[in-house]
């Protein structure tokens, strides 16, 4: 099996453990994560530039090295520049293959949009008609693809507890199973900014709504110390608002609700 040296930047901190794209590459290559972009055969560019709060010390050291190289080009922001792209600064000869990988909401920045990224290929939410782009919504990351030969550690599904089976999304919700639920609605959220607060107020006219996540953790009764399957399996409905409205942007929220036997709203 051919060895493929991969340099990834701006990806989430557990990329080599959790990510489906890494898993797919490992089925065809002996993948090795390299600390040097100069040694890499392939560069995977994520969208988390500057979001250092979620990254490990190893990643911060890597970002610091990138920043030093960018400063040589008078590059003042890792997300926006009128003069030079991240790729041009780090790979001026364009000797590497670059893949833009995003599970976040698409926008016009070079981080979130493949079209502005200066990468060779892209994987993400965007409905782009290009042979160099593969549309893979983020909820694909929550699916069990082992029958297709893509095996990931259980650690990749720590939030939900275990991966979603395709059957869980196709079999539907029966009236009998719904009758066994608690007649309540759940929301897992870090905030109640508009329009989420409106959704909650309107739903509470129909049934009680329990809020979990960072926003709900102020109330000990609603601390989200369970995995999602354990938590949501009791509920009749789940409020599942996305962070933004954008063509093709669908994350794990709706599939997870169905997998837990709850009706997503």
């Amino acid at each position: 099996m051919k060895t493929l040296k991969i340099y990834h930047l701006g990806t989430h901190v557990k990329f080599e453990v959790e990510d489906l794209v890494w898993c797919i590459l490992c089925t065809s290559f002996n993948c090795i994560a390299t600390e040097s972009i100069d040694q890499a055969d392939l560069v995977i560019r994520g969208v988390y530039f500057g979001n250092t709060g979620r990254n490990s010390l190893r990643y911060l050291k890597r970002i610091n090295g990138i920043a030093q190289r960018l400063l040589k080009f008078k590059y003042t922001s890792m997300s926006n520049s009128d003069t030079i792209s991240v790729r041009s600064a780090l790979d001026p000869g364009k000797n590497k293959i670059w893949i833009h990988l995003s599970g976040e909401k698409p926008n016009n920045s070079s981080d979130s949009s493949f079209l502005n990224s200066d990468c060779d290929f892209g994987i993400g939410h965007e409905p782009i008609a290009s042979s160099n782009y593969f549309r893979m919504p983020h909820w694909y990351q929550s699916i069990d693809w082992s029958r297709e030969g893509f095996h990931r550690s259980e650690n990749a599904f720590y939030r939900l507890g275990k991966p979603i089976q395709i059957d869980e999304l196709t079999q539907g919700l029966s009236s009998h199973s719904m009758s066994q639920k608690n007649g309540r609605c759940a929301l897992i959220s870090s905030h109640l900014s508009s329009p989420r607060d409106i959704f909650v107020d309107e739903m509470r006219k129909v049934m009680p709504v329990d809020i979990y996540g960072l926003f709900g953790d102020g109330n000990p009764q609603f601390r989200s110390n369970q995995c999602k399957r354990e938590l949501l399996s009791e509920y009749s409905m789940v409020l599942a608002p996305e962070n933004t409205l954008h063509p093709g942007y669908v994350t794990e929220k709706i599939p997870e609700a169905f997998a837990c036997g709850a009706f997503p709203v």
Side-chain angles (χ1 to χ4, degrees):
M1 185 178 291
K2 182 179 179 181
T3 296
L4 183 67
K5 295 181 180 179
I6 301 174
Y7 183 86
H8 56 94
L9 69 161
T11 55
H12 56 84
V13 69
K14 296 182 179 180
F15 177 75
E16 297 162 35
V17 176
E18 299 178 1
D19 201 89
L20 178 60
V21 172
W22 177 270
C23 177
I24 292 173
L25 288 171
C26 287
T27 61
S28 299
F29 300 95
N30 175 28
C31 294
I32 298 176
T34 176
E35 293 293 317
S36 170
I37 194 171
D38 298 318
Q39 298 176 359
D41 306 304
L42 172 68
V43 178
I44 297 179
R45 180 186 171 178
V47 298
Y48 298 124
F49 288 106
N51 191 1
T52 54
R54 66 191 298 164
N55 294 307
S56 66
L57 179 60
R58 184 178 113 178
Y59 181 74
L60 291 177
K61 289 180 178 178
R62 178 184 295 178
I63 286 294
N64 183 59
I66 292 172
Q68 295 300 319
R69 295 177 69 166
L70 293 174
L71 286 173
K72 294 180 181 178
F73 291 88
K74 298 181 180 180
Y75 191 104
T76 57
S77 170
M78 298 190 74
S79 299
N80 299 286
S81 174
D82 296 329
T83 57
I84 191 169
S85 69
V86 171
R87 181 178 186 179
S88 296
L90 302 180
D91 181 24
K94 293 193 174 182
N95 299 315
K96 317 295 182 184
I97 297 174
W98 282 61
I99 295 179
H100 181 265
L101 178 63
S102 175
E104 297 296 329
K105 54 189 177 185
N107 57 43
N108 293 325
S109 75
S110 60
D111 289 347
S112 295
S113 174
F114 164 66
L115 296 177
N116 298 324
S117 68
D118 197 26
C119 292
D120 301 300
F121 304 95
I123 301 173
H125 289 284
E126 299 175 272
I128 297 174
S130 170
S131 58
N132 289 354
Y133 189 84
F134 180 74
R135 184 172 180 273
M136 190 179 82
H138 186 64
W139 63 269
Y140 280 34
Q141 297 277 356
S142 301
I143 302 296
D144 180 6
W145 299 108
S146 60
R147 285 183 289 184
E148 282 68 36
F150 306 128
H151 301 273
R152 284 180 289 167
S153 164
E154 292 183 0
N155 294 330
F157 310 99
Y158 66 94
R159 290 192 299 181
L160 187 59
K162 62 179 180 179
I164 297 173
Q165 303 299 318
I166 294 295
D167 292 346
E168 293 179 304
L169 303 182
T170 59
Q171 65 188 3
L173 302 175
S174 69
S175 57
H176 174 73
S177 66
M178 295 299 291
S179 68
Q180 307 301 309
K181 301 291 183 172
N182 62 7
R184 303 175 72 89
C185 179
L187 169 65
I188 300 176
S189 181
S190 60
H191 65 85
L192 269 191
S193 301
S194 184
R196 292 191 184 188
D197 57 342
I198 299 174
F199 297 158
V200 171
D201 290 342
E202 291 300 312
M203 182 58 71
R204 279 178 170 161
K205 295 177 182 179
V206 180
M207 64 173 59
V209 178
D210 298 333
I211 304 175
Y212 298 88
L214 291 178
F215 185 86
D217 279 352
N219 184 340
Q221 181 182 356
F222 298 124
R223 291 224 172 114
S224 50
N225 55 2
Q226 300 172 279
C227 72
K228 284 186 179 181
R229 279 189 183 272
E230 294 176 346
L231 180 67
L232 299 182
S233 62
E234 304 174 6
Y235 284 87
S236 302
M237 293 189 177
V238 172
L239 279 175
E242 295 290 5
N243 293 327
T244 188
L245 294 177
H246 193 285
Y249 180 61
V250 182
T251 64
E252 74 284 355
K253 296 179 178 65
I254 292 176
E256 284 184 347
F258 277 118
C260 296
F263 191 88
V265 179

